[in-house]
Amino acid sequence: MAANMKVKERVAKKQTLCGALMLIEALKAENVKVIFGYPGGAVLPIYDKLYESGVFHVLTRHEQGAIHAAEGYARISGKPGVVIATSGPGATNIVTGLTDAMMDSIPLVVFTGQVASSVIGSDAFQEADVLGITMPITKHSYQVRDIHELPKIIKEAFHIATTGRPGPVLIDIPKDMAVAEAEFDYEQDVQLPGYQPTTKPNHLQIRKLVEAVSQAKRPVILAGAGVLHANAHEQLKQYAEQQNIPVIHTLLGLGGFPADHPLFLGMAGMHGTYTANMALYECDLLINVGARFDDRVTGNLAHFAPKATVAHIDIDPAEIGKNVPTKIPIVGDAKEALIQLIEQNGKRPDVSEWLNKLNEWKREYPLMYKREPGVLKPQRLIEMIHEYTNGEAVVTTDVGQHQMWVAQYYKFKQPHRWVTSGGLGTMGFGLPAAIGAQLAQPEATVVSIVGDGGFQMTLQELSVIQELNLPIKIVIVNNQALGMVRQWQEIFYEKRYSHSLIPNQPDFVRLAEAYGMKAMRATTEEEAEYVLKEAFATNAPVLLDFHVCPGENVYPMVAPGKGLHEMVGVKW
Amino acid sequence: MVKRIITMTVNNRPGVLNRITGLFTKRHYNIESITVGHTEAEGISRMTFVVNVDDERIAEQITKQLNKQIDVLKVVDITDQAIIVRELALIKVAVTPATRGEIYTLIEPFRAAIVDVARDSLVVQVTGEPEKIDALIDLLKPYGLKEVARTGTTAFPRGSQRASSTNKSLFII
């Protein structure tokens, strides 16, 4: 408290500070609780000031770990994740994370060191054109050329990262700028005439949608991550119930609508449920709320929602009409749009026949897999984790088969519990993301479910988990293969398993033990029961290596180039 | 393919041009020409793009994507407005004593000027709509073109928008 007062006084006095201290004061003013980073030559002046700043800094073991941890933190806390990396290799190591955050609209403020202004452009030691490299993968970026501008730049960066459609903003700080001094004034207003996101939806378009809903026979809502970014889950439920419209989620939207709700049809897309995909094919009114019609959701666009009038609510006008022709465009915040729709309280459409059909499909074509004695099915494993955590855990994943099984079988009841790499599909995302997620919600049960392939891309972060004693449960769905690649090779490449089988994986249990972490292995359902029970009773990190049935595939499936109605693997 | 003329005002900050041309590359849009220069307001530049797109939907996407850039203040696709479209070209054409006079007569209706004279060449400067410049270049080609430099299109909505695109052809020369 006293320290806080001191900061306020200093800020009010517009003290002269060096760049490094400006950064630290700005972080405090933005109420940043944790930053993720890795030191190096160009950021030494910043790290020197961090030393006794009181800012909680997590030293990951690789910059990629830092940025994925920041993404996990942002996803769960709803606040921007903050990253510091040094120039050159430090900065290039965060490129994957920046792209991931850009694709999935995750707010990040990323500081990179840069060589001194005087040598920029001379191919100096650890120099990289970070601004040039990251331009297409950031929402915006800055290089500090005048120390007087730094407070304004940081303030703008936080504003841009967190408003409108969220995204990563990068600030490149030459080494001399960290030591140069100027007056620190953080009270100024952000003025960006070129950046005025529309949040209030157009009333006329809202009325058009209300009219379309009242006439609809087979309406459906496709809800994406925009619902979660806008914190509009309550309104989504209220609106769906008011109008009696069934809801489908995209991969990233999961949790926005309770999975156990009778109006929920499941996830759409390549590995979505039969009911969700057929509903998209058969519907006459499709209301997209905060989803971007990704190709993994739509399948072949020529066959996508062929009978539907499309309405699209999105904060980003460029997403509307990008992939799917849209009759009713609504630019705005999902929450504000849904509130307006609820207030309109339009005529409820007659959907009894439609709901009957959907319920019949749900009964007839549920998600399914075959349980076999003595074998641990990955789907069963996810169901067991769901049971042990009561469907309330924060779950992080990488990309691939395990990710799809979690999306299918971990029935998310609540929002902001699901952290996965959707758009970019980044292997190695899940483990570091869990660090950020756990720090954002220290009380939550965090389960990081990863594949044996992706785990090995960022496993060095076990060290951080152990050091901070974060009680994360790490679940390796180990099929001794790059499962999704193997599955595609089986189906589309005549079982030519080119470089996708890894029979000689290391002993993950002993590996975790080398990091000082408790670890167990299970190869059958019975063993899985035992180790899960033990792991969830432990208030410390635990790594669990589950040897699952290696040849298992993710079904149902829409093959690439096919329409959603052409799913395979729906029934045995 | 449809040709669209898009003009925009941007903050004159380092990297802005890079961000915008990068966006065109990333989204696979073909740029035919770009011009950039200062405006009447300090710190604000105007850019004019001519792009070739498959259809209106892509043209709309381009303006939307450009609008998302923080340093882009205003984007307008002015193709269908009453506009003034101009380009400047410098054309170095080979001459002999016999053809020199001929070229002087030939360029006159184009209101072009001779801005450099050498023993065996002339430099012709011409401004106007790109079609007019094409036409002059075509006429000069038989004499032997040594070098051509074109600025690319810059464009501007007319002060009065009473007339729609139908009378655009009146303004060609």
Side-chain angles (χ1 to χ4, degrees):
Chain A
M1 202 54 198
N4 231 338
M5 289 292 288
K6 242 194 215 157
V7 171
K8 273 187 190 144
E9 268 167 46
R10 272 216 308 252
V11 172
K13 272 192 221 148
K14 294 185 184 172
Q15 204 180 333
T16 298
L17 297 177
C18 68
L21 280 174
M22 283 185 185
L23 194 162
I24 288 161
E25 290 306 322
L27 294 181
K28 288 177 177 171
E30 295 289 348
N31 204 15
V32 172
K33 299 279 186 244
V34 55
I35 62 177
F36 303 89
Y38 205 103
V43 286
L44 276 171
I46 297 174
Y47 271 81
D48 186 57
K49 298 298 180 201
L50 271 175
Y51 191 49
E52 40 200 17
S53 65
V55 172
F56 178 33
H57 174 281
V58 174
L59 173 71
T60 54
R61 300 307 190 256
H62 188 287
E63 287 88 352
Q64 185 181 0
I67 193 161
H68 290 329
E71 288 183 81
Y73 178 82
R75 265 269 161 83
I76 295 303
S77 69
K79 294 195 289 189
V82 178
V83 178
I84 302 186
T86 193
S87 67
T92 54
N93 277 345
I94 60 166
V95 164
T96 302
L98 283 171
T99 318
D100 192 272
M102 186 70 176
M103 290 283 265
D104 288 351
S105 310
I106 299 177
L108 296 182
V109 176
V110 177
F111 297 92
T112 48
Q114 182 54 278
V115 299
S117 309
S118 54
V119 295
I120 289 181
S122 70
D123 304 315
F125 176 64
Q126 292 196 329
E127 180 182 0
D129 176 13
V130 173
L131 227 51
I133 291 168
T134 60
M135 252 173 208
I137 51 169
T138 50
K139 186 173 172 186
H140 198 51
S141 57
Y142 299 88
Q143 187 174 63
V144 185
R145 301 198 173 189
D146 175 353
I147 186 62
H148 294 89
E149 288 183 349
L150 184 56
K152 181 171 158 277
I153 287 174
I154 300 179
K155 189 138 195 179
E156 285 181 6
F158 274 93
H159 177 72
I160 292 168
T162 53
T163 53
R165 178 177 180 177
V169 180
L170 181 134
I171 304 174
D172 197 36
I173 307 180
K175 194 170 182 179
D176 52 313
M177 287 297 143
V179 289
E181 294 188 343
E183 191 178 82
F184 178 73
D185 176 8
Y186 206 70
E187 299 299 301
Q188 49 197 327
D189 290 330
V190 171
Q191 288 189 350
L192 293 165
Y195 178 69
Q196 310 284 340
T198 307
T199 54
K200 287 238 174 306
N202 181 311
H203 192 64
L204 203 74
Q205 298 295 340
I206 293 280
R207 292 290 299 274
K208 264 199 213 167
L209 177 52
V210 170
E211 179 60 26
V213 169
S214 72
Q215 313 252 321
K217 298 262 179 300
R218 301 181 308 279
V220 74
I221 294 171
L222 175 68
V227 169
L228 299 170
H229 290 303
N231 255 315
H233 49 278
E234 286 291 340
Q235 286 73 18
L236 175 66
K237 184 158 165 269
Q238 219 179 318
Y239 178 65
E241 286 174 352
Q242 183 196 63
Q243 297 295 317
N244 212 18
I245 305 176
V247 177
I248 295 168
H249 263 315
T250 65
L251 173 71
L252 290 178
L254 290 172
F257 196 77
D260 52 5
H261 196 287
L263 284 172
F264 189 59
L265 306 182
M267 180 175 76
M270 186 168 269
H271 296 295
T273 63
Y274 178 84
T275 312
N277 283 344
M278 286 310 288
L280 284 170
Y281 187 73
E282 291 293 341
C283 67
D284 67 348
L285 174 65
L286 169 55
I287 307 168
N288 175 340
V289 189
R292 60 182 175 84
F293 286 130
D294 176 79
D295 59 87
R296 286 299 193 261
V297 167
T298 61
N300 187 333
L301 281 169
H303 303 295
F304 181 69
K307 306 165 189 179
T309 301
V310 176
H312 189 167
I313 301 169
D314 207 300
I315 190 98
D316 181 356
E319 289 303 342
I320 300 178
K322 186 179 81 176
N323 296 338
V324 174
T326 301
K327 190 87 171 286
I328 308 172
I330 300 178
V331 180
D333 178 76
K335 190 174 195 164
E336 293 197 29
L338 286 166
I339 288 175
Q340 282 201 22
L341 286 168
I342 293 162
E343 279 171 356
Q344 289 284 318
N345 199 7
K347 182 175 153 276
R348 234 178 176 212
D350 177 14
V351 293
S352 45
E353 212 174 299
W354 175 230
L355 291 184
N356 282 341
K357 183 85 200 156
L358 295 171
N359 285 329
E360 191 187 312
W361 282 337
K362 275 204 242 181
R363 273 194 310 276
E364 196 69 19
Y365 306 103
L367 289 169
M368 51 170 34
Y369 64 92
K370 273 189 194 143
R371 273 166 88 171
E372 289 162 36
V375 175
L376 179 57
K377 285 290 177 124
Q379 299 94 329
R380 177 67 199 139
L381 172 64
I382 306 302
E383 284 181 338
M384 286 160 74
I385 296 169
H386 180 268
E387 285 156 23
Y388 272 101
T389 56
N390 197 23
E392 288 169 353
V394 168
V395 182
T396 74
T397 74
D398 281 1
V399 64
Q401 286 188 319
H402 72 279
Q403 176 194 41
M404 290 299 115
W405 285 318
V406 175
Q408 291 178 335
Y409 292 95
Y410 196 94
K411 313 280 183 190
F412 290 92
K413 292 188 284 193
Q414 293 153 306
H416 311 301
R417 295 285 192 281
W418 172 224
V419 185
T420 195
S421 169
L424 194 63
T426 308
M427 290 174 73
F429 174 85
L431 186 72
I435 297 172
Q438 184 75 78
L439 289 169
Q441 268 194 29
E443 303 306 319
T445 302
V446 176
V447 187
S448 181
I449 302 178
V450 295
D452 48 314
F455 173 68
Q456 291 184 77
M457 288 198 174
T458 48
L459 71 85
Q460 74 283 348
E461 306 306 338
L462 286 176
S463 188
V464 179
I465 295 172
Q466 188 61 24
E467 181 180 280
L468 297 176
N469 195 27
L470 301 174
I472 297 167
K473 306 299 173 272
I474 300 153
V475 171
I476 302 178
V477 183
N478 187 347
N479 54 7
Q480 286 103 49
L482 308 176
M484 194 58 96
V485 174
R486 194 209 57 77
Q487 176 171 342
W488 280 50
Q489 288 172 337
E490 178 184 330
I491 302 171
F492 306 118
Y493 294 90
E494 297 157 351
K495 302 190 180 178
R496 289 156 56 82
Y497 297 124
S498 180
H499 303 278
S500 60
L501 305 180
I502 313 175
N504 299 313
Q505 295 287 27
D507 183 334
F508 291 125
V509 170
R510 281 171 62 203
L511 180 77
E513 282 166 1
Y515 281 94
M517 192 177 285
K518 182 173 176 171
M520 290 175 280
R521 178 175 297 115
T523 53
T524 62
E525 254 190 70
E526 294 69 36
E527 286 173 14
E529 287 278 357
Y530 173 79
V531 299
L532 281 172
K533 195 171 172 190
E534 176 133 353
F536 285 109
T538 311
N539 188 28
V542 182
L543 182 140
L544 302 170
D545 180 20
F546 291 100
H547 285 220
V548 299
C549 173
E552 193 69 14
N553 286 337
V554 183
Y555 283 116
M557 179 177 191
V558 179
K562 297 286 185 186
L564 291 184
H565 62 301
E566 299 170 286
M567 309 189 79
V568 295
V570 176
K571 278 250 177 198
W572 301 118
Chain B
M1 282 294 221
V2 205
K3 189 179 282 189
R4 307 298 300 187
I5 303 173
I6 296 166
T7 108
M8 56 186 195
T9 45
V10 301
N11 285 326
N12 187 3
R13 273 193 28 183
V16 171
L17 185 63
N18 198 350
R19 255 190 180 271
I20 287 160
T21 51
L23 188 151
F24 278 85
T25 317
K26 171 180 168 185
R27 303 264 170 200
H28 244 253
Y29 305 143
N30 281 324
I31 308 177
E32 192 176 288
S33 72
I34 314 179
T35 62
V36 194
H38 295 298
T39 61
E40 72 288 355
E42 200 186 328
I44 293 176
S45 296
R46 175 182 290 274
M47 293 188 186
T48 308
F49 291 88
V50 178
V51 290
N52 285 310
V53 294
D54 290 335
D55 52 46
E56 298 283 324
R57 197 173 57 87
I58 308 242
E60 189 186 317
Q61 259 296 303
I62 293 179
T63 55
K64 283 175 164 180
Q65 292 294 348
L66 288 169
N67 245 322
K68 274 169 73 168
Q69 298 298 322
I70 314 286
D71 281 321
V72 171
L73 303 173
K74 194 175 181 193
V75 185
V76 194
D77 181 339
I78 58 171
T79 320
D80 299 329
Q81 297 184 22
I83 48 175
I84 305 163
V85 179
R86 288 295 178 270
E87 186 177 3
L88 183 145
L90 296 174
I91 306 158
K92 187 183 280 175
V93 55
V95 289
T96 62
T99 57
R100 183 173 281 130
E102 214 174 304
I103 289 172
Y104 269 87
T105 342
L106 198 136
I107 66 167
E108 226 214 291
F110 288 86
R111 278 181 261 162
I114 305 291
V115 292
D116 181 65
V117 181
R119 207 150 44 87
D120 56 356
S121 69
L122 288 175
V123 176
V124 179
Q125 171 193 302
V126 60
T127 56
E129 296 215 345
E131 293 80 358
K132 172 185 161 185
I133 293 170
D134 291 344
L136 181 59
I137 290 173
D138 260 3
L139 280 173
L140 292 174
K141 206 172 268 168
Y143 298 95
L145 296 179
K146 290 184 154 229
E147 260 180 291
V148 175
R150 298 175 70 152
T151 58
T153 301
T154 192
F156 218 55
R158 291 185 171 268
S160 159
Q161 287 289 319
R162 265 178 300 137
S164 71
S165 56
T166 45
N167 65 357
K168 201 179 145 235
S169 53
L170 296 175
F171 306 130
I172 280 208
I173 292 196

